[in-house]
């Protein structure tokens, strides 16, 4: 059985790794000249770490487990402590963080090198599994459309479905060296700033705030330095230490109208192509990895590709769309909150929550367990 995966990001490579693991021949078509991810860091919650286990991927020293953290106001005053030890006891896994390039590299290494094609822009995908791209065409038993939030394949399959919408906030991101940084999320009116330690003294930071779409400053770094210089340490220092060309900027768009199905013919939508969501739960990449494992399990246990895709849609669409709705809701209750009275109420509620309670929030999302995938047979002794 042959699968074509369109897109070489987290979801696409995760799907390719899963399909390869269950015995399928896989071809990954990536339109860029090399596999990589324009991005900074990513949080990996226990649900995603379990998916990586099923895919046979060990992140090793690239994964940074978070051991302490909390929520603060802009002046650095603690609002509530995040009990990472209790979190790990509940889930059996820590909250992890990794540079996106390292995650992409690990996923890529789980796929045979001959299966990876770069500089291959897909021009047509048919429901019968025919894929045309720059350089040729291929026929597949399954096509995985992991081509991102602006998915051309999704648009071709569902031309009347609304395109992604602006989520109300814009975001800046970066990675820089800063020894000793600790996990933190800081709030102010319509603003969230996160600090997420990676390995090797790297720190991933992000800033999101409520604004109009497309309101891009001419010099993003100078803009951040001007507007966030009075926030608590180490936020100004992190911004200062990041090279201007390494400061990323984008509006936070998402798929506001849920799809009625993730499949059509032999095609399965996966990751952002299926359920692009705001980042306020840190679940975008995690949900793509869930998609990948469920799809691999379905094709390895169902009698036909049609039955496998029906099951994939039945299992993944309700859950991923629920997580997307929760991400929108979390944004409105947290970083997008602008009413001064509501801000005071939220802060008071967070302060009243015991640390052991905060780590249970969202447990039904982060506690999800993937289906099992086959393990490679041990080598035979002579």
């Amino acid at each position: 059985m042959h699968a074509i995966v369109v897109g070489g990001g987290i979801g696409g490579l995760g799907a390719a790794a899963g399909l390869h693991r269950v015995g399928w021949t896989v071809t990954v078509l990536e339109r860029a000249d090399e596999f990589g991810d324009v991005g900074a860091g990513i949080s990996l919650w226990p649900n995603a770490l379990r998916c990586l286990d099923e895919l046979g991927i060990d992140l090793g020293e690239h994964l940074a487990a978070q051991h302490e953290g909390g929520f603060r106001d802009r002046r650095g005053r603690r609002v509530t402590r995040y009990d990472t030890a209790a979190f790990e006891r509940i889930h059996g896994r820590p909250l992890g963080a990794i540079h996106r390039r390292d995650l992409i590299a690990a996923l890529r290494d789980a796929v045979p090198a001959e299966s990876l094609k770069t500089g291959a822009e897909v021009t047509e995908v048919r429901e019968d599994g025919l894929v045309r791209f720059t350089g040729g065409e291929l026929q597949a038993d399954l096509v995985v459309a992991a081509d991102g939030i602006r998915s051309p394949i999704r648009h071709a399959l569902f031309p009347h479905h609304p395109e992604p919408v602006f989520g109300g906030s814009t975001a800046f991101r970066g990675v820089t060296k800063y020894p000793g940084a600790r996990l933190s999320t800081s709030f102010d009116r319509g603003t969230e700033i996160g600090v997420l330690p990676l390995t090797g003294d790297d720190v991933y930071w992000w800033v999101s705030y409520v604004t109009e779409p497309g309101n891009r400053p001419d010099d993003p770094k100078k803009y951040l330095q001007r507007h966030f210089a009075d926030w608590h340490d180490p936020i100004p220092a992190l911004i200062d230490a990041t090279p201007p060309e390494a400061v990323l900027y984008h509006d936070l768009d998402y798929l506001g109208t849920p799809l009625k199905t993730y499949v059509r013919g032999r095609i399965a939508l996966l990751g952002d192509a299926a359920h692009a969501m705001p980042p306020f739960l840190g679940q975008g990449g995690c949900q793509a990895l869930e998609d990948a494992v469920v799809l691999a399990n379905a094709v390895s246990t169902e009698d036909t590709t049609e039955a496998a895709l029906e099951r994939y849609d039945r299992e993944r669409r309700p859950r991923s769309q629920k997580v997307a709705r929760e991400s929108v809701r979390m944004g409105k209750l947290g970083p997008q909150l602008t009413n001064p009275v509501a801000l005071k109420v939220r802060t008071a509620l967070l302060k009243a929550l015991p640390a052991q309670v905060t780590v249970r929030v969202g447990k039904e999302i982060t506690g999800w367990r993937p289906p099992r995938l086959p393990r490679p047979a041990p080598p035979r002794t002579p």
Side-chain angles (χ1 to χ4, degrees), residues 110-124:
V111 182
E114 62 270 20
S115 297
L116 305 173
K117 295 184 181 297
T118 57
E121 184 168 1
V122 172
T123 56
E124 182 184 5

Side-chain angles (χ1 to χ4, degrees), residues 33-299:
D33 291 332
E34 60 182 19
F35 286 90
D37 197 328
V38 177
I42 182 173
S43 55
L44 292 175
W45 295 83
N47 53 317
L49 294 176
R50 294 189 189 97
C51 288
L52 291 169
D53 286 346
E54 293 304 319
L55 295 174
I57 294 169
D58 181 5
L59 299 176
E61 62 183 13
H62 295 298
L63 183 70
Q66 306 302 303
H67 297 298
E68 57 181 313
F71 297 96
R72 300 179 180 275
D73 64 15
R74 65 180 294 163
R75 294 171 60 183
R77 295 174 298 190
R78 174 168 285 174
V79 176
T80 186
R81 185 172 69 89
Y82 196 77
D83 192 335
T84 53
F87 181 89
E88 190 166 352
R89 284 196 302 272
I90 292 169
H91 290 283
R93 298 294 174 86
L95 166 61
I98 192 171
H99 200 293
R100 283 179 179 264
R101 66 168 182 247
D102 294 329
L103 177 57
I104 289 290
L107 292 167
R108 184 192 61 222
D109 290 346
V111 182
E114 62 270 20
S115 297
L116 305 173
K117 295 184 181 297
T118 57
E121 184 168 1
V122 172
T123 56
E124 182 184 5
V125 176
R126 295 196 329 206
E127 293 182 29
D128 64 359
L130 180 70
V131 178
R132 292 192 171 97
F133 58 97
T134 53
E137 66 178 41
L138 291 170
Q139 181 70 44
D141 301 286
L142 168 66
V143 179
V144 180
D147 52 344
I149 184 172
R150 303 285 172 186
S151 168
I153 298 176
R154 183 187 65 231
H155 181 73
L157 294 177
F158 309 104
H160 302 297
H161 190 85
E163 289 296 302
V165 297
F166 178 59
S169 294
T170 194
F172 299 85
R173 296 176 295 153
V175 171
T176 191
K177 293 284 186 183
Y178 195 90
R182 298 178 180 179
L183 171 70
S184 69
T185 302
S186 304
F187 293 107
D188 196 29
R189 185 176 179 180
T191 305
E192 175 187 76
I193 300 182
V195 176
L196 190 62
L198 305 176
T199 56
D201 289 333
D202 280 345
V203 179
Y204 167 46
W205 58 266
W206 72 90
V207 175
S208 76
Y209 62 92
V210 174
T211 187
E212 296 298 319
N215 188 19
R216 182 183 179 89
D218 294 332
D219 189 324
K221 178 173 178 175
K222 287 184 178 179
Y223 176 89
L224 293 171
Q225 289 173 317
R226 185 166 63 250
H227 285 83
F228 299 101
D230 61 344
W231 281 61
H232 67 83
D233 292 334
I235 291 169
L238 292 172
I239 295 171
D240 290 343
T242 306
E245 66 275 10
V247 177
L248 306 176
Y249 166 90
H250 63 281
D251 288 335
L252 298 181
D253 297 338
Y254 71 103
L255 198 61
T257 303
L259 288 164
K260 294 182 178 180
T261 180
Y262 287 175
V263 303
R264 179 68 65 84
R266 294 183 179 182
I267 305 169
L269 296 172
L270 184 145
D272 282 351
H275 46 68
M277 61 189 68
F280 301 122
L281 286 177
Q283 280 289 321
C286 300
Q287 291 301 301
L289 291 171
E290 287 189 14
D291 291 346
V293 175
V294 171
L295 180 62
N297 175 265
V299 301

